Amino acid sequence: SAKAKGKNNFQFFSDDMALIASRKIALENDMRRAITNKEFMLYYQPQIQVETGDIIGMEALIRWQTVGGDVVSPGEFIPLAEETRLILPIGEWVLYTACEQAKKWHDAGHSHLKLAVNLSPLQFIHDDLMDVVEFTLRKTGFPASSLELEITEGVAVEDAETALTRMRELRKIGVRIAIDDFGTGYSSLNYLKRFPLNNLKIAQPFVQDMATNPYDKALVEAMVFIAHNLNMSVIAEGVETDEQLSLLKELGCDEIQGYLYSKPLSAEQFTELLVHGEISTKLVN
Ligand code: C2E
Ligand code: MG
Ligand code: MG
Ligand code: MG
């Protein structure tokens, strides 16, 4: 009967929910342990100036190498880290470690490099953010003007007023702000009007389809136009083909990031890239 079927469905659904909940608890516990065990590490993806082909900076991207050796991608644990607020200690570690590493690259003669660090909405509106940023810059000696914090449109969902205050405070000490995954959230244009942003990162889906879909190409063109008219620079994310690169060049995009140039690299691999201009095959992931 329909009733029995409905009941079965419910049963199935709640078993599923229980499974998801227990997996979540296990993951949360693993994540807490990972902080103490130092299982997190950072990879760095080069950012390339379109006009010159030079590396002008890098984005720090977190990886979780579990004791078992598996590498867990941020897409799998950042949402839960956010939900459990574990993103706060993890995010502090990311910022500190990335600034410390980037300072080494600056000191090795690459002082033009800009470091981009992702901040979750919770971190961004948290009361401690300015203390954390100022402490990190002071301790590592990394210059504020070389640091770019990436935020997503999600920050406005949390608390737009606080987000605006934070942005002003960060800009005041010389830190740059980029809007990540632009075009995938809501209120994009409203954001650009209200917030003091330095850099607009065009989200991967637009870039990946622009060579085959004229609508995506038109949207990328519009994003470049809007950014430039608002005195922001534009970087395209997820560039994988020469065709995408030449279109981006034609549309006046300033910078690119993507597998076409390089996957995210370990600090060791990134150093090798800076020194030799390439990575030896034994180092490639
Ligand atoms: P995101 O900040 O938009 O980072 C770009 C993502 O695209 C990275 O994935 C990168 O590895 C990937 N990517 C780069 N080039 C290409 C390409 O050419 N093709 C394709 N298919 N992918 C490309 P990843 O490292 O897995 O990070 C995923 C997301 O996790 C990030 O998206 C960011 O939102 C978040 N995340 C990463 N590290 C951190 C962190 O330290 N803190 C916080 N709060 N979030 C982080
Ligand atoms: Mg990012
Ligand atoms: Mg992005
Ligand atoms: Mg993102």
Side-chain angles (χ1 to χ4, degrees):
S1 72
K3 202 177 167 191
K5 204 175 166 206
K7 198 180 168 217
N8 277 340
N9 280 345
F10 179 74
Q11 191 67 46
F12 176 76
F13 181 67
S14 72
D15 280 353
D16 216 35
M17 293 300 278
L19 189 66
I20 290 169
S22 73
R23 274 205 193 122
K24 254 172 128 174
I25 291 163
L27 184 61
E28 182 182 344
N29 287 335
D30 286 350
M31 219 163 19
R32 282 183 200 284
R33 218 188 35 226
I35 300 173
T36 355
N37 285 2
K38 301 184 173 29
E39 294 172 27
F40 293 111
M41 49 188 187
L42 293 182
Y43 270 54
Y44 299 88
Q45 188 175 35
Q47 297 181 323
I48 311 302
Q49 187 162 36
V50 171
E51 211 175 300
T52 60
D54 293 335
I55 302 177
I56 45 102
M58 57 277 160
E59 177 177 5
L61 294 159
I62 196 170
R63 297 289 177 266
W64 175 7
Q65 173 117 50
T66 63
V67 201
D70 300 329
V71 178
V72 189
S73 74
E76 293 174 59
F77 67 89
I78 294 284
L80 187 61
E82 177 101 356
E83 205 179 300
T84 54
R85 301 176 72 85
L86 286 171
I87 194 66
L88 295 172
I90 295 171
E92 277 184 40
W93 176 85
V94 169
L95 184 68
Y96 195 94
T97 308
C99 287
E100 196 176 42
Q101 177 60 60
K103 172 73 166 122
K104 288 181 191 160
W105 288 322
H106 273 205
D107 289 349
H110 310 282
S111 60
H112 63 287
L113 294 176
K114 182 181 84 179
L115 168 70
V117 176
N118 292 286
L119 289 191
S120 82
L122 185 65
Q123 267 181 289
F124 196 73
I125 61 163
H126 195 255
D127 293 343
D128 276 358
L129 183 74
M130 291 312 295
D131 288 341
V132 168
V133 170
E134 286 177 307
F135 171 84
T136 301
L137 294 173
R138 196 169 56 243
K139 275 286 209 191
T140 61
F142 192 66
S145 59
S146 300
L147 178 63
E148 184 167 281
L149 297 177
E150 296 191 0
I151 53 170
T152 55
E153 291 158 301
V155 300
V157 178
E158 298 287 329
D159 181 347
E161 286 319 306
T162 309
L164 183 58
T165 307
R166 281 295 169 279
M167 285 184 215
R168 290 186 177 141
E169 288 169 334
L170 286 166
R171 290 294 303 277
K172 206 165 161 189
I173 65 164
V175 171
R176 293 168 52 91
I177 303 164
I179 182 120
D180 203 355
D181 303 333
F182 186 76
T184 57
Y186 351 62
S187 71
S188 304
L189 295 177
N190 202 26
Y191 244 73
L192 297 187
K193 188 182 81 176
R194 291 190 67 197
F195 294 158
L197 303 163
N198 300 92
N199 195 4
L200 184 152
K201 301 194 76 175
I202 302 176
Q204 204 164 290
F206 299 101
V207 176
Q208 286 187 337
D209 295 336
M210 68 182 297
T212 49
N213 185 336
Y215 292 102
D216 285 291
K217 188 188 166 195
L219 289 173
V220 170
E221 185 168 18
M223 289 188 235
V224 172
F225 181 84
I226 291 169
H228 285 167
N229 279 284
L230 295 175
N231 287 318
M232 298 168 66
S233 58
V234 196
I235 180 163
E237 296 192 78
V239 180
E240 292 181 351
T241 68
D242 285 316
E243 199 181 2
Q244 290 162 359
L245 174 60
S246 60
L247 274 176
L248 289 162
K249 204 179 255 181
E250 184 190 309
L251 299 179
C253 182
D254 305 297
E255 298 161 17
I256 59 149
Q257 194 181 329
Y259 296 169
L260 176 66
Y261 189 86
S262 170
K263 290 202 165 183
L265 304 170
S266 68
E268 186 195 13
Q269 292 169 329
F270 196 90
T271 302
E272 175 146 339
L273 181 65
L274 290 175
V275 174
H276 300 292
E278 60 182 47
I279 328 149
S280 69
T281 43
K282 72 171 182 5
L283 280 173
V284 174
N285 311 302

